[in-house]
Amino acid sequence: MKQLLCVLALLSAVICYSQNSFKISGTVVSQDDKSPLEAATVYLERIQDSTLVTYTISDKNGYFEIQEKTYDDHLNLVISYVGLEEYKTKIDVSKSPINLGEIAMESANSLEEVVITSRAPITIKKDTLEFNVKSFKTKKDATVEDLLKELPGVEVDENGKIKVNGKEVNKILVNGKPFFGDDPTITTRNLTKEIIEKIQIVDTKTKSEAFTGEEGDNENKTINLTIKEENNKGVFGRLAAGGGTDKRYEFAGIVNVFDNDQRISVLAGGNNINSPGFSFGEIEKMFGGGSMYIRSDGSFGSNGRSFGGGEGITVSNNVGANFADKLAKGIDVSADYFLAASNSDNEIVTKRENILPDRRYFTESYVNSNSNTDNHSSNLEFDIEVDSTFLINVRPSFRILKSQTTYSRDESSLDELGALINASNSSSYVETTGRNFSNDFNVTKRFGNKGTFIKFDLNTGFNSTETDDYSNSQTMFEDDTQNIDRDQYSDGKQNFESLFARIAYRLPLIAKTLFLNFEYSTRNDTRENVRSTFDFDDAAQDYINFNEDLSTNFNYSNKRNTPSLGLSYQKEKWSLRMEAGYVFRTLESRDELRPEMSLKQNFEALELNGRFHYRFSPKSSIYSGYYLSNQPPQITQMSPFQDVSDPLNIVTGNPSLEPANRHSFYGGFNSFDFQKKTGFWGYASVNVTENQVVSRSVIDEDLVRYTTYENVDGNYRVYADASYAKSIKMDSLKTLRLRVGTNTNISRAVNFNNDQQYAAKNRAIGPNARITFTWKDIMELEPNYRVTFNKSTYNLENFDDQEFIRHDLGIRTATFLPKKFEWRNDIKYSYNPNVSSGFQKSAWFWNSTLAYSVLKDQGTVTLKVYDLLNQNTNAQRTATENYIQDRQSSVLQQYFMLSFSWKFNSLGKKGEIDDFGGF
């Protein structure tokens, strides 16, 4: 090993000293008026094959400077700028330093021709940053995710989350259309670099905002992948399967059929290794991640796509399809369907120290659960551009979920001396069926060329959830006469209907610059919550005795009408928008079982919204905003109904609750210097809440909690994060990327503990650093470290302040020698010294894969080792103002797996199909 390292070091030294160092500078101006050209792309190519050597962007004074090393004595220098003729000259780099002086660029005869034929690695067009894929070298068979990691200012974490200049990417399009819904990783980990021509990055906008030219979302980015024209017709995809020790397996496949404007994709997969999808030999993930859940109102929520994963051990099987086409001129359609089936087993151990003003008590719980879930989802989208001024957008979606869950829990509570106060055990079997339909209908009409438009939105939602719940529980106290035994069946039905309508009109006060915005919106949400509970009858051997105390029949409604008036100012470099609305809201609850507990409340509130964005240059900008929002109490928090479903936590609503008003301030800054290859990003926010609704509990001597709700003032949260990144090109083969950052949370929470009001302050800071060393075609090395400091203080005398620290260290490596081999390692170490005895304080976690390319690089054989050191753990410590908790659940154990993947490709020119071949 030492001999190999010596050889590599010697080879590196020889390469460095055999290269020519050079420095080139100049100033780019317009031929017409001699004004400096900011954001002109300046790049150097090899004369022999036009291979990109390096590039930069001119600053606001038109000045550029390039310092680099090369084996060549002569290079071609090319300067491009949108709308101007390309400038090209041959440079003798051996005569460094070279000052080219003032370079004047002439107007182009055809703007369209310049944009299409430009080979510039980067092009900046107003608010669009465009990368030429050919200019960025990656490994063979690189995915879009691999490519994104090479782009300046772009960061991709291990979960596939993408940030551009510090802003999160929340949407990825392919030729301007969605590809498998809203999960970006399905796109970035399945499409390969070879079929992509350009990568365009813009601020996220709705279809309507893009159509009207409005300012978009300044806090998020959208990536659009444009496919090469010659790759618009054909079939490509991958198939893979693997098996391993402990009966572990995974399989997956994706097939894409492109026929000019029409795209059809089908994917399927399954595994029992907690993977959110399949990875081709674990070199790169195949499917995206995410989870689907049901909200308390019966509607569905989604974090991406549900492909298994999460806590416990999950077996998942999935199938999906995506379709996109241009049906006629001005009519685009896209659709997708997913079926995600999973079975999850989990065991959870929890130890909690509960803090009261005058004493403490301890609880221990053991939970065992198993769930089977089938989740169907489908999305459609129609874009109908009637003419250049009239756009109709329709987006219906459907969800069906069926699940069966078996659950058991044993819990005990002890006082400070270890004496048992109460104990409980419960078991249940629940069958759930959920159905959801929603539709967004949007119409946008533009008038003239001064910026006038009118919009109409109509959004509807219908959700229904049905449950069959069989439960058995025993709650035991020191006094046996208070014990509670239950053997029950509950039939639950939840229905939710939502209607939202909005009309907006924009009147230009100054054409294309200053606008007056009129808007009126109305929302009507209705919920029906019926739960019929029956006790088991020993004589009849059936659940026939209706239990009114544990049954509910509520009808809730939330009606809101909001007229608003706004002013917006929009220029090329900056924009400002201010808006004020007045909310008229009616909350109503009808209790069909207990009519005397029905209630109706009317509320009025002012809401404000403002945001500001300024772009110093195409490379840096700042943004800020403020909004005042009104958040009513949940109707269940206001209802005087006493919920006794949990014998250890009796909950009663408070009809006197007031709505909460939340003041939110935020601001951010981002900058990337293409000449110095440095970037800095920062973000800060302050949230202050008046009339925050919090729970107020009293705990008796048997540790039974009686909970209601109150309004409090004095809650706030301050958040800030910042990061700095720099890329250093050591030579033509080796690159070093440095990234340091930190995030800070400061909060104050006013709450109640055993009926005593108190304030808790929490401070957390998490500095982190990451270094990425890349030696082209040889190796990659990426160490990273994060330390988290957390401190909580309380203004109650008997509350002890809490301090915690956690260390996380990681290193990722990749070796590409010998040829056709790829060896990757992912090593993580975590140390949490504050967890309770009986929980693992530290652990090493090491995954390793070795891949070998076969069949002319169309196939890959991979050996994967999961948890090489067999130390996987997920012990967590959580500290709040009311308790300190340690928790640990089931984790996947060590396994070895051998897998094989095969890729195919018949993509050809538009209208043609080639023979199958490799990527």
Side-chain angles (χ1 to χ4, degrees), residues 411-472:
E411 183 175 305
S412 58
S413 298
L414 303 90
D415 63 15
E416 292 177 292
L417 299 177
L420 182 66
I421 304 300
N422 65 51
S424 65
N425 61 74
S426 61
S427 61
S428 64
Y429 173 76
V430 183
E431 293 185 352
T432 302
T433 300
R435 297 179 180 87
N436 165 264
F437 168 76
S438 63
N439 182 63
D440 296 343
F441 177 77
N442 313 104
V443 177
T444 305
K445 173 65 177 177
R446 296 194 313 232
F447 300 95
N449 59 0
K450 296 182 179 181
T452 306
F453 65 74
I454 188 169
K455 294 182 182 181
F456 175 71
D457 301 327
L458 179 63
N459 303 333
T460 55
F462 304 92
N463 306 288
S464 68
T465 305
E466 298 178 357
T467 58
D468 292 299
D469 185 348
Y470 296 87
S471 62
N472 190 296

Side-chain angles (χ1 to χ4, degrees), residues 749-852:
V750 178
N751 218 313
F752 292 90
N753 187 285
N754 207 22
D755 212 32
Q756 289 194 34
Q757 183 172 315
Y758 68 93
K761 292 184 179 180
N762 179 265
R763 300 175 182 86
I765 184 170
N768 58 84
R770 181 183 300 271
I771 301 174
T772 304
F773 171 73
T774 303
W775 189 347
K776 183 182 177 183
D777 299 329
I778 303 294
M779 64 177 295
E780 295 175 0
L781 183 65
E782 186 178 280
N784 64 86
Y785 173 70
R786 174 185 293 272
V787 59
T788 304
F789 303 94
N790 195 304
K791 182 177 182 179
S792 299
T793 59
Y794 310 94
N795 65 354
L796 282 180
E797 183 177 350
N798 293 328
F799 275 34
D800 294 331
D801 295 342
Q802 304 289 336
E803 289 191 54
F804 303 100
I805 186 172
R806 177 186 173 94
H807 303 269
D808 291 284
L809 176 67
I811 183 169
R812 305 180 75 182
T813 69
T815 306
F816 307 107
L817 291 177
K819 189 177 180 180
K820 292 185 177 294
F821 279 92
E822 185 173 337
W823 181 30
R824 289 185 178 265
N825 293 276
D826 187 359
I827 305 170
K828 298 177 181 178
Y829 173 75
S830 61
Y831 178 60
N832 191 354
N834 306 109
V835 298
S836 301
S837 59
F839 291 86
Q840 195 169 339
K841 297 179 182 294
S842 65
W844 287 92
F845 187 57
W846 185 355
N847 291 336
S848 184
T849 61
L850 179 64
Y852 180 69

Side-chain angles (χ1 to χ4, degrees), residues 262-282:
Q262 184 183 92
R263 297 200 318 261
I264 301 175
S265 300
V266 177
L267 59 77
N271 67 81
N272 64 352
I273 57 172
N274 282 16
S275 176
F278 188 83
S279 53
F280 292 105
E282 201 61 25

Side-chain angles (χ1 to χ4, degrees), residues 202-485:
V202 297
D203 289 339
T204 295
K205 292 185 178 184
T206 65
K207 295 287 182 67
S208 179
E209 288 172 337
F211 189 70
T212 59
E214 291 178 274
E215 188 79 8
D217 180 357
N218 293 323
E219 296 185 64
N220 294 282
K221 291 289 187 178
T222 292
I223 291 178
N224 180 48
L225 308 173
T226 63
I227 295 179
K228 299 176 183 178
E229 185 177 354
E230 61 267 26
N231 289 329
N232 265 328
K233 191 176 182 68
V235 180
F236 69 99
R238 298 187 181 189
L239 301 173
T245 59
D246 202 20
K247 298 182 180 179
R248 299 300 172 193
Y249 68 87
E250 57 182 352
F251 65 90
I254 182 169
V255 178
N256 305 278
V257 181
F258 284 11
D259 188 0
N260 299 326
D261 292 322
Q262 184 183 92
R263 297 200 318 261
I264 301 175
S265 300
V266 177
L267 59 77
N271 67 81
N272 64 352
I273 57 172
N274 282 16
S275 176
F278 188 83
S279 53
F280 292 105
E282 201 61 25
I283 295 301
E284 291 298 339
K285 297 290 185 184
M286 177 175 179
F287 292 156
S291 60
M292 186 70 68
Y293 56 91
I294 303 179
R295 301 187 182 96
S296 59
D297 60 18
S299 61
F300 294 97
S302 175
N303 296 320
R305 294 296 174 194
S306 179
F307 280 100
E311 278 191 339
I313 310 300
T314 300
V315 179
S316 60
N317 293 283
N318 323 280
V319 63
N322 178 265
F323 173 81
D325 197 5
K326 181 184 289 292
L327 300 182
K329 183 179 179 180
I331 303 178
D332 293 336
V333 61
S334 63
D336 63 66
Y337 166 78
F338 284 89
L339 166 60
S342 64
N343 177 279
S344 298
D345 289 294
N346 197 16
E347 294 183 3
I348 303 172
V349 179
T350 304
K351 294 183 179 181
R352 177 184 291 188
E353 179 181 356
N354 300 277
I355 306 169
L356 302 179
D358 57 346
R359 67 189 192 279
R360 301 190 178 202
Y361 70 95
F362 302 85
T363 58
E364 295 185 7
S365 66
Y366 302 86
V367 173
N368 191 300
S369 65
N370 172 268
S371 64
N372 286 284
T373 303
D374 290 333
N375 192 341
H376 303 260
S377 64
S378 180
N379 302 283
L380 298 171
E381 182 168 2
F382 299 91
D383 294 323
I384 305 172
E385 191 170 328
V386 180
D387 56 41
S388 60
T389 66
F390 192 17
L391 175 68
I392 300 174
N393 182 256
V394 185
R395 298 188 305 275
S397 64
F398 309 85
R399 304 284 189 275
I400 297 177
L401 180 142
K402 293 185 178 181
S403 68
Q404 303 85 36
T405 301
T406 302
Y407 177 90
S408 64
R409 179 186 183 95
D410 292 291
E411 183 175 305
S412 58
S413 298
L414 303 90
D415 63 15
E416 292 177 292
L417 299 177
L420 182 66
I421 304 300
N422 65 51
S424 65
N425 61 74
S426 61
S427 61
S428 64
Y429 173 76
V430 183
E431 293 185 352
T432 302
T433 300
R435 297 179 180 87
N436 165 264
F437 168 76
S438 63
N439 182 63
D440 296 343
F441 177 77
N442 313 104
V443 177
T444 305
K445 173 65 177 177
R446 296 194 313 232
F447 300 95
N449 59 0
K450 296 182 179 181
T452 306
F453 65 74
I454 188 169
K455 294 182 182 181
F456 175 71
D457 301 327
L458 179 63
N459 303 333
T460 55
F462 304 92
N463 306 288
S464 68
T465 305
E466 298 178 357
T467 58
D468 292 299
D469 185 348
Y470 296 87
S471 62
N472 190 296
S473 65
Q474 294 81 38
T475 306
M476 295 151 284
F477 300 92
E478 190 174 3
D479 181 359
D480 294 344
T481 61
Q482 300 182 43
N483 291 352
I484 301 173
D485 291 339

Side-chain angles (χ1 to χ4, degrees), residues 606-838:
L606 175 67
E607 290 190 333
L608 302 173
N609 184 15
R611 62 187 186 188
F612 170 77
H613 181 234
Y614 182 80
R615 185 181 293 108
F616 294 98
S617 69
K619 300 176 289 186
S620 62
S621 64
I622 60 172
Y623 60 95
S624 62
Y626 164 79
Y627 61 87
L628 167 64
S629 59
N630 181 258
Q631 300 169 326
Q634 297 180 19
I635 197 70
T636 53
Q637 295 174 328
M638 298 178 64
S639 173
F641 166 71
Q642 188 175 73
D643 183 356
V644 295
S645 58
D646 183 354
L648 297 178
N649 186 21
I650 313 301
V651 181
T652 307
N654 179 3
S656 302
L657 290 177
E658 296 288 334
N661 289 313
R662 182 182 183 187
H663 302 265
S664 298
F665 307 83
Y666 66 89
F669 170 80
N670 61 81
S671 176
F672 190 88
D673 191 320
F674 289 94
Q675 298 207 22
K676 298 180 180 179
K677 303 296 189 296
T678 59
F680 176 73
W681 310 283
Y683 177 84
S685 64
V686 179
N687 295 312
V688 179
T689 305
E690 301 169 339
N691 278 336
Q692 176 76 53
V693 177
V694 300
S695 59
R696 180 172 186 168
S697 299
V698 176
I699 301 174
D700 66 14
E701 63 278 4
D702 294 317
L703 302 182
V704 176
R705 186 184 300 269
Y706 296 87
T707 302
T708 186
Y709 302 94
E710 292 286 345
N711 289 110
V712 297
D713 290 327
N715 288 327
Y716 64 79
R717 179 177 180 268
V718 179
Y719 173 80
D721 68 28
S723 61
Y724 172 82
K726 181 174 180 61
S727 180
I728 303 172
K729 194 168 184 180
M730 304 172 67
D731 55 45
S732 61
L733 297 177
K734 296 189 288 297
T735 304
L736 192 66
R737 292 186 177 185
L738 310 176
R739 182 189 180 279
V740 294
T742 185
N743 59 75
T744 303
N745 270 294
I746 302 173
S747 63
R748 183 179 189 267
V750 178
N751 218 313
F752 292 90
N753 187 285
N754 207 22
D755 212 32
Q756 289 194 34
Q757 183 172 315
Y758 68 93
K761 292 184 179 180
N762 179 265
R763 300 175 182 86
I765 184 170
N768 58 84
R770 181 183 300 271
I771 301 174
T772 304
F773 171 73
T774 303
W775 189 347
K776 183 182 177 183
D777 299 329
I778 303 294
M779 64 177 295
E780 295 175 0
L781 183 65
E782 186 178 280
N784 64 86
Y785 173 70
R786 174 185 293 272
V787 59
T788 304
F789 303 94
N790 195 304
K791 182 177 182 179
S792 299
T793 59
Y794 310 94
N795 65 354
L796 282 180
E797 183 177 350
N798 293 328
F799 275 34
D800 294 331
D801 295 342
Q802 304 289 336
E803 289 191 54
F804 303 100
I805 186 172
R806 177 186 173 94
H807 303 269
D808 291 284
L809 176 67
I811 183 169
R812 305 180 75 182
T813 69
T815 306
F816 307 107
L817 291 177
K819 189 177 180 180
K820 292 185 177 294
F821 279 92
E822 185 173 337
W823 181 30
R824 289 185 178 265
N825 293 276
D826 187 359
I827 305 170
K828 298 177 181 178
Y829 173 75
S830 61
Y831 178 60
N832 191 354
N834 306 109
V835 298
S836 301
S837 59

